[in-house]
Amino acid sequence: MSVRPSKIGTTTIDTHTSRIQDQAMPFDFTQTDRQHMQRALTLAQATLGLASPNPQVGCVLAHGNNVVGEGAHRYDLLDHAEIVALKHAGASAVGATAYVTLEPCSHHGRTGPCANALIEAGVARVVAATLDPNPRVAGSGMARIEDAGILAQHGLLESEARRLNDAFAHYILSGRPLVTLKAALSVDGKLAPPVHARTPGETFWLTGIAAREEVHRLRHASDALLSGVGTILADDSLLTDRSALPRRRPLLRVVLDTDLRIPLTSRIVESAREDLLIFCGEGAFNEAQRAFRTRGVQVEIITERDDAGRIDLQTVLQRLGERQILSVLLEAGSTLNAAALSAKIVDKAVLFFSETELGASAIPFADAAHSPFQLIEQLQEVERCDYPNASGGFDACVRGSLHDPWADVFTLTPG
């Protein structure tokens, strides 16, 4: 479960992964197998906010229906899910089946190889939901287990397991975080009323409390939140995770502000505790930079520009990747939404629609080339859900991916 990114394609697969691929065949998984793997997925899901920059992994050890050990990985506690489960099981691990949501690692990182630990514990069978996208593992964990004479199988609830670690897979393969664009919109696809119809510095709420609570869960699931200076000036936004759910590192609030126009008296600056990062241009005054830094704000200069002369978003993602940021939630205004879609940095979208209609003069979602309805048409595996609002109606949510974050991983699904 190393977090060092490395771009891979099928040309980098070595002999151990090719052997696993050649031997892949449909496995007859039982209902008991599915129940144990579902439990492992539940354990992994519970580590949301606690495992990054490592993947979320759960493990169950069982003899038939009898569970003898289980565990999940939390970054600060070091032990991988398999080790936690083995410690829980003790001598009962001998002859057990290990159900793990991600292929056991085969390399030395912060800890030793989990594949070796399972072999030494005497398990009789290992079932992995999915093979690891990390090229340092890439099938070698299952191959090592198989070489030890242990039955090694994979592919059980694979899609569920992969969805849980979309951000990790994207980061490992590209070195950059996965970007989810979130927007709250009127039924006609607008962000907010026109400027002249709003009170400066006051947040305009389109959706109800239930939808806004879901937004905070999305923030909790992200390593960083990205916005532009325009949003801060319009709403005096805090951009914090108020889900009350535990997380191992603070949500990194990232703002693009070329000329450092954010007021030092803004709520986001006054609440900064080294969890606010501003990317500015090289023309920003040194005095302004120092003023922000003395208030616990991180300031970095980006010299690269896009075709419109704005801060280059590819460079922004590269910088965040260097900080081991796996996932970014983009909550922005029209300009940054349009720039992100034009730069093709958006991997997923979550769009909330209220029942309110704002009209043609309202602030648009992006630009003419990127309407929210066009974006929905591009999404894969679209999901929709409704959230009750104060008027007795519902706010609709549409979410999906623009591409498969695991697309560059060789496919070894057994069917």
Side-chain angles (χ1 to χ4, degrees), residues 133-391:
N134 186 344
R136 298 178 67 198
V137 179
S140 64
M142 297 302 277
R144 184 173 299 182
I145 289 166
E146 190 175 68
D147 287 343
I150 297 171
L151 180 60
Q153 300 173 317
H154 64 274
L156 177 59
L157 301 182
E158 180 185 68
S159 60
E160 293 88 339
R162 287 192 168 192
R163 192 176 306 119
L164 193 63
N165 281 308
D166 279 348
F168 175 76
H170 184 274
Y171 174 79
I172 280 295
L173 295 169
S174 69
R176 298 181 179 187
L178 180 143
V179 176
T180 299
L181 186 157
K182 167 264 164 185
L185 302 161
S186 62
V187 71
D188 51 342
K190 306 296 183 178
L191 284 174
V195 175
H196 64 79
R198 297 182 56 189
T199 302
E202 289 189 6
T203 301
F204 173 79
W205 297 114
L206 268 171
T207 56
I209 292 175
R212 298 203 296 271
E213 288 177 344
E214 176 62 17
V215 170
H216 283 285
R217 286 189 286 270
L218 290 171
R219 291 181 180 182
H220 176 73
S222 306
D223 289 338
L225 193 157
L226 175 62
S227 194
V229 62
T231 297
I232 306 301
L233 294 177
D235 299 332
D236 195 17
S237 309
L238 272 173
L239 304 181
T240 52
D241 169 11
R242 298 191 287 279
S243 66
L245 297 171
R247 59 186 307 141
R248 64 166 295 265
R249 54 180 177 175
L251 175 69
L252 181 65
R253 299 175 290 172
V254 184
V255 180
L256 307 186
D257 184 5
T258 304
D259 300 315
L260 287 181
R261 293 188 292 140
I262 298 177
L264 293 174
T265 56
S266 62
R267 294 197 301 162
I268 195 169
V269 172
E270 290 185 337
S271 65
R273 299 294 183 273
E274 299 298 333
D275 60 346
L276 174 59
L277 170 62
I278 298 178
F279 286 118
C280 66
E282 57 187 336
F285 291 114
N286 290 334
E287 293 81 359
Q289 294 180 44
R290 283 193 291 271
F292 280 105
R293 291 187 177 114
T294 59
R295 287 165 171 79
V297 179
Q298 303 176 61
V299 180
E300 288 191 20
I301 296 173
I302 290 184
T303 58
E304 293 83 355
R305 294 287 184 271
D306 62 16
D307 294 339
R310 296 182 292 257
I311 290 175
D312 180 66
L313 294 176
Q314 300 289 354
T315 304
V316 169
L317 293 188
Q318 180 183 338
R319 295 278 187 92
L320 293 177
E322 291 168 356
R323 290 170 171 257
Q324 293 191 327
I325 297 296
L326 272 58
S327 54
V328 170
L329 185 64
L330 174 63
E331 292 191 43
S334 305
T335 301
L336 186 49
N337 283 345
L341 291 167
S342 295
K344 300 187 183 304
I345 67 164
V346 177
D347 305 296
K348 294 187 176 186
V350 182
L351 305 177
F352 295 88
F353 289 90
S354 74
E355 298 174 313
T356 303
E357 185 172 346
L358 291 177
S361 63
I363 297 174
F365 162 70
D367 55 16
H370 303 99
S371 82
F373 309 109
Q374 291 172 327
L375 178 58
I376 289 173
E377 291 178 356
Q378 299 172 35
L379 297 179
Q380 303 174 7
E381 299 181 0
V382 176
E383 299 177 13
R384 170 171 174 158
C385 56
D386 294 325
Y387 297 90
N389 57 36
S391 66

Side-chain angles (χ1 to χ4, degrees), residues 65-86:
N65 290 319
N66 183 32
V67 174
V68 296
E70 59 179 31
H73 173 62
R74 294 177 59 173
Y75 188 87
D76 287 341
L77 299 182
L78 293 181
D79 282 345
H80 291 183
E82 299 94 320
I83 306 304
V84 177
L86 288 171

